[in-house]
Amino acid sequence: MKIQLPKDVDYIIKELQKNGYEAYAVGGCVRDVILAREPEDWDITTSASPIQVKGIFKRTIDTGIIHGTVTVMLDKNGYEVTTYRIDGEYEDNRHPREVTYTPYLSEDLMRRDFTINAMAYNENSGLVDIFDGLKDLEEKRIRCVGSAEMRFDEDALRILRAVRFSAQLGFEIERGTLNAAKIKAENLKNISAERIRTELNKLLASPNPDRLLIAWELGITAIILPEFNTLMTKPHKKQKESYGVFSLQSIRYLREQVLPFVKGKEKEASILSWALLLQGLKPEEGREVLRRLKFDNETIDYVYRLLTWCDYEFLLTPWEMRKAVNAIGKDLMDMLFSVKEACILTEKGSISGGKGEDLEKARELYHEILRKKECVELKELMINGKDLIELGFKPGKAMGQVLGELLVSVLKEPELNTKEKLSLMAQEIHLREA
Ligand code: ATP
Ligand code: MG
């Protein structure tokens, strides 16, 4: 087998070899090029120690030096170069207590999670595939390297990774690995929220988000996302299936028809996916889930607001739309439309007629507001606190109420949003209150 390595990777491997060491591209990148997928990053494994690696390349960063990893910088790109290692005994199904370097590539491959992730490649040796990873790739199978139960005892995250790869690649999990996952699912309680969040996000962003159902069947979600188990028993208010099943279908529609998950849109895709996944929960409950998984505040806040508004039915007049946008917030509108569209597609299979048509009308009304630059938020009012003080108002809470009152008038009649008109109205209020 011949693999075309990127120029930089080829250079790093050859430099290491010139200095008398072994070096290979390894893991996910080898798997991905064989599958003709774009690798996320290129990892290199070598017999050289971190210090030796640092001696060979001009610019390096000690990314994970205790685990044997040095990042070699070429131009603006970084490549992780890791010394052949054996992971020592594991603590709490979590971290290896210690890592030991080894002179043997085979031992480094043996510590890896799945056969498809345990292949190495360089030009001289070709593909090094001691666990039949290539065959598993061809037969679309996720299989642990060695005894699955032991591997899941060492690091329980691998249980979730198996499901995640199965969703990303559309592969089946081999029977022995599947059984072991079921037996060991409970070990996931020892895994940090951050690591779980990363895997769940990758799963939801994959072409097969509905494979979360495998995690449910295996007893994985009961440990890491018990709310999903609740949603699997909660009947959807309009459909015959449960919220859990409905939500996963809606995430697939989101990806396939509403918002193609493109590079640079990962965060928005993640926010929308979580809002869809948790739509059967109360907003507060959804927020708790994301807090527990240690999501960033922006994501938590957007999802909370989407859960608050996802069932809202727009009234289709310009005035009602302005009031709605004011209450919902402009920053949420496009995401809210996307969530609603995914749900309608899941319910009806299409966006034409009925609810889909209403949604399109709401979208048009909203875009009309944007086109006409109509005021829907306080900060778009042509008068502000400073102006009111000049008109004789005292700073304080009452002033906020006056601005609020002016905004209500402007929502009703957008033409009122000029400085002169609002000043006059404010003066009237001032007189009335005096
Ligand atoms: P991705 O496309 O998500 O980057 P990947 O296979 O490259 O997939 P990484 O998490 O980047 O996954 O890890 C790189 C390699 O390190 C894997 O291919 C695998 O060989 C090994 N690896 C990663 N995590 C584990 C783990 N928990 N247990 C054993 N080996 C692992
Ligand atoms: Mg990777």
Side-chain angles (χ1 to χ4, degrees), residues 315-356:
L315 299 170
L316 299 170
T317 69
W319 179 29
E320 291 293 349
M321 200 63 198
R322 287 192 296 271
K323 280 197 289 186
V325 176
N326 169 256
I328 294 165
K330 261 187 180 172
D331 60 333
L332 198 72
M333 291 303 294
D334 285 327
M335 289 198 274
L336 182 59
F337 285 133
S338 297
V339 163
K340 285 182 151 303
E341 187 177 335
C343 288
I344 293 170
L345 284 166
T346 315
E347 264 176 57
K348 314 268 183 210
S350 109
I351 191 86
S352 59
K355 281 186 141 188

Side-chain angles (χ1 to χ4, degrees), residues 26-29 31-32 37 39-41 43 87 90 109 111-114 116-119 151 155 157-158 161 164-165 168 195 199 202:
V26 71
C29 59
R31 174 199 70 217
D32 286 344
R37 292 172 96 230
E40 237 173 75
D41 33 40
D43 296 323
D87 293 341
Y90 277 72
L109 296 178
R111 72 169 169 92
R112 294 171 185 272
D113 47 6
F114 306 110
I116 58 169
N117 289 347
M119 293 180 279
R151 306 316 306 280
D155 179 3
L157 189 73
R158 292 168 185 159
R161 281 171 63 90
R164 184 261 282 192
F165 284 119
Q168 282 183 322
R195 293 180 83 200
E199 293 302 321
K202 288 186 175 176

Side-chain angles (χ1 to χ4, degrees), residues 237-238 275-276 278-279 281-284 301-315 320-341 343 359:
K237 60 184 182 308
K238 294 174 205 145
L276 288 169
L278 302 176
Q279 64 184 292
L281 299 179
K282 294 198 183 81
E284 293 73 24
D301 189 54
Y302 274 131
V303 172
Y304 175 76
R305 290 166 63 205
L306 287 169
L307 293 176
T308 305
W309 290 102
C310 64
D311 289 329
Y312 178 76
E313 303 210 359
F314 291 107
L315 299 170
E320 291 293 349
M321 200 63 198
R322 287 192 296 271
K323 280 197 289 186
V325 176
N326 169 256
I328 294 165
K330 261 187 180 172
D331 60 333
L332 198 72
M333 291 303 294
D334 285 327
M335 289 198 274
L336 182 59
F337 285 133
S338 297
V339 163
K340 285 182 151 303
E341 187 177 335
C343 288
L359 184 70

Side-chain angles (χ1 to χ4, degrees), residues 172-184:
E172 297 310 313
I173 302 173
E174 173 268 336
R175 236 211 352 241
T177 300
L178 202 68
N179 285 338
K182 194 165 195 165
I183 295 168
K184 299 294 180 183

Side-chain angles (χ1 to χ4, degrees), residues 417-432:
N417 194 25
T418 70
K419 194 156 181 176
E420 300 79 62
K421 288 181 189 161
L422 293 175
S423 301
L424 278 176
M425 290 164 69
Q427 277 162 338
E428 275 170 32
I429 298 173
H430 199 44
L431 288 176
R432 188 184 75 201

Side-chain angles (χ1 to χ4, degrees), residues 201-217:
N201 264 341
K202 288 186 175 176
L203 197 164
L204 293 181
S206 78
N208 305 290
D210 35 339
R211 299 239 172 162
L212 186 65
L213 290 174
I214 299 177
W216 172 71
E217 281 166 5

